[in-house]
Amino acid sequence: MTVSGAGPDTGAPSARARALAVLRVRSRALAVALLPAAAAVILLAGGSTGHLPGPGWDLARRILTPVAVLVLLLAAGVALVVARARPAVSPTVPIAEEAAPDLYRMVRDLADRLGVPAPSAIALTPDCDSWLEDRTHPAHAPPPPEERGDTAQAGRPARRVPAAPVLVIGSPFLWWMRVAELRALLAPVVAGTGPSAHPDIAAARRFVRGLDAAVAVTSAPDRGPVFRAVLGGVGWVARLLLHGSRVHAAEMERGVAAAAAERAKTVDYGLRIVAQEQVGLAYAGWDRLLTRVALPAWRMGRWPARLNAGVVSALTELSRRDRLAEGFASRLGERPACDLLEEPGAVDEATSLLAARLFHGGPAETGPDWSPVHWGDYPEEVVDRKWRTDAARLHRILDALRVPPADEESRAPDGPTLARVLTHLTASPSLTPAAVPAVAAVEAPAPDEDDPAGGTAHSAALAARLTAELAREQATAAAGPQGSAAPDPDALRDDRALPLFPLQPPRTGRELLADHITAMVCCAAMDTVGAVPGLDWLDGPTLLVGGARAAELSPQVLTLIEDGDPSDLRNWLTRQGIRPEKPVRLA
């Protein structure tokens, strides 16, 4: 087996040349650190042998010797910080070989066909990407036997960390792609283990990753003034070295990628083109599933436990709707790549929880306010609860603003109604952009941070109140068990600020108000005409009236918010048979 990446890989020589350039930066830094010490040794040796006599040489020895010692101490400090700093590790779900023997067998067979070392391990990431990750740093090694409770291995030398990198696979690929497609997709990734095994490339990567980790350590805010001053100098040196090696490191990685792609052409090249088409489709469906389906559940304190299984349904629906994707659904008759796992359900649940942590910031373990939900229970436990919770929040704010009941409510039973909302928003005149913040400041206890363009006085006040109320709820939740849960050191070794990749920016007050009014409309539909909550794999929560999906409500709701005109929304309610004056059940 070829482990050095030699052969027809056109990018390998370039990668090695760039790796040597990176290592020359390290060598120059070491030379600069040793130069004063070398000069001091020469002066001291010359004085002891009588070759450099005189007061001038004595003065040079007295000055240069402590300077050399100081420079050596500073260099040793920088080297110590770089050596002890723990490089960042991508949060992943590790897959043991006994949990996926077929997957490991496929990857090893692929490595043999490519003539490169097999990856040392396999892990999954809840994203549409795959890569090799170096985890040879001692901090990333398994714990000693005594820490694992393995008394049989206690006292023996620690197992050497394998030099091959870890193969990280995007979990949506396993559920959507077929086995042959996954093998073709992973071919250029696995081929990268060949150049990675070259000593110069490996040393250059360790040097750059160590500098990057040192910069992160010196930038940590929870340090005292003395430590900040000392580490500030270390950080300056590390940034200077990173700046000097950045271009060479980037070109080295490009050369490694080119070498891997060239080598992988010999394996399933034609099928890899089809697999790349599936990557684009998988990314589109995965993004829609996270933002439209998973995000509302996460905000309710529930995390879908089968996200990867849901992506298959979402992509099948996308294939059905998109004429460009016709024929892709026929692939579902072939063996899916998730069959390479022994327990795909357990792996799906683990990656789904990690996705919730990365994209929303949830805790590492389930609890009363953070529990899993299965797709069959999603409409009842997420959609219905979300709508009724939002409707209840809207009426609490109306109560705080002392909004009177609608005229129809005087003859109706006690209870919150949609008519109260419509009447309140209809009664307010339109505002100019400059007037909205002033009115909102008078009627709401918190600043109005929404876009002030357009709207009415009452809608602006409600939007500001909703923004403040949700901010208070989020602050309370962050101070509770969910927000105070300590990060799992095994799942997230280096990252503490969650979410790492928030899916959406904070919602504006107008968007919050539109969501709450829509929730009130859906509650009225469920309680007056027997509508039910539903789940659309691409659009998320949906209202089913008479078994059919209700028409889009956004235009009618926005007209009510921006113009204070409820006529379009009332006409829609009349066509559906929904009575806004009837009380609804809230959460």
Side-chain angles (χ1 to χ4, degrees), residues 165-415:
V166 174
L167 174 62
V168 181
I169 306 174
S171 61
F173 296 156
L174 268 79
W175 268 259
W176 175 244
M177 288 188 170
R178 309 300 99 179
V179 173
E181 293 172 348
L182 181 66
R183 183 176 60 247
L185 180 70
L186 294 180
V189 182
V190 175
T193 60
S196 300
H198 192 275
D200 293 335
I201 294 177
R205 282 177 166 174
R206 286 194 300 269
F207 175 62
V208 173
R209 295 181 77 237
L211 292 177
D212 184 70
V215 170
V217 169
T218 59
S219 302
D222 52 344
R223 305 283 185 180
V226 176
F227 279 99
R228 281 200 302 267
V230 174
L231 293 179
V234 175
W236 179 84
V237 174
R239 290 185 183 91
L240 182 64
L241 295 177
L242 271 179
H243 180 75
S245 57
R246 179 183 295 114
V247 175
H248 298 300
E251 293 298 328
M252 177 186 69
E253 297 301 337
R254 290 191 184 96
V256 170
E262 184 70 21
R263 183 181 290 270
K265 286 183 178 180
T266 61
V267 179
D268 298 332
Y269 182 72
L271 189 57
R272 198 159 81 233
I273 299 176
V274 178
Q276 288 298 331
E277 295 176 351
Q278 300 303 319
V279 170
L281 186 66
Y283 184 84
W286 181 248
D287 181 70
R288 292 285 291 268
L289 184 74
L290 292 182
T291 57
R292 305 292 182 88
V293 179
L295 187 58
W298 293 338
R299 287 171 174 164
M300 295 299 299
R302 308 296 300 274
W303 54 276
R306 296 292 186 269
L307 276 179
N308 293 286
V311 78
V312 177
S313 300
L315 292 172
T316 304
E317 178 66 16
L318 182 62
S319 301
R320 185 186 65 84
R321 296 184 188 180
D322 190 351
R323 290 181 297 178
L324 298 177
E326 289 179 359
F328 285 168
S330 63
R331 304 166 40 262
L332 300 181
E334 304 173 15
R335 186 190 183 195
C338 63
D339 280 358
L340 300 173
L341 304 173
E342 290 293 301
E343 297 182 6
V347 175
D348 195 355
E349 185 170 347
T351 55
S352 298
L353 180 57
L354 180 58
R357 299 193 66 200
L358 296 180
F359 299 116
H360 182 68
E365 298 179 355
T366 61
D369 299 325
W370 186 246
S371 57
V373 60
H374 296 279
W375 293 126
D377 303 326
Y378 185 95
E380 184 67 26
E381 298 188 13
V382 175
V383 181
D384 182 88
R385 180 185 168 193
K386 174 185 182 301
W387 286 341
R388 297 191 186 279
T389 300
D390 288 351
R393 185 183 298 110
L394 180 60
H395 277 278
R396 286 200 306 270
I397 293 176
L398 292 177
D399 293 338
L401 293 174
R402 295 177 180 158
V403 175
D407 294 339
E408 298 88 347
E409 288 183 309
S410 60
R411 300 185 298 274
D414 294 337

Side-chain angles (χ1 to χ4, degrees), residues 5-21:
D9 305 338
T10 57
S14 173
R16 295 168 194 161
R18 292 292 183 168
L20 291 176

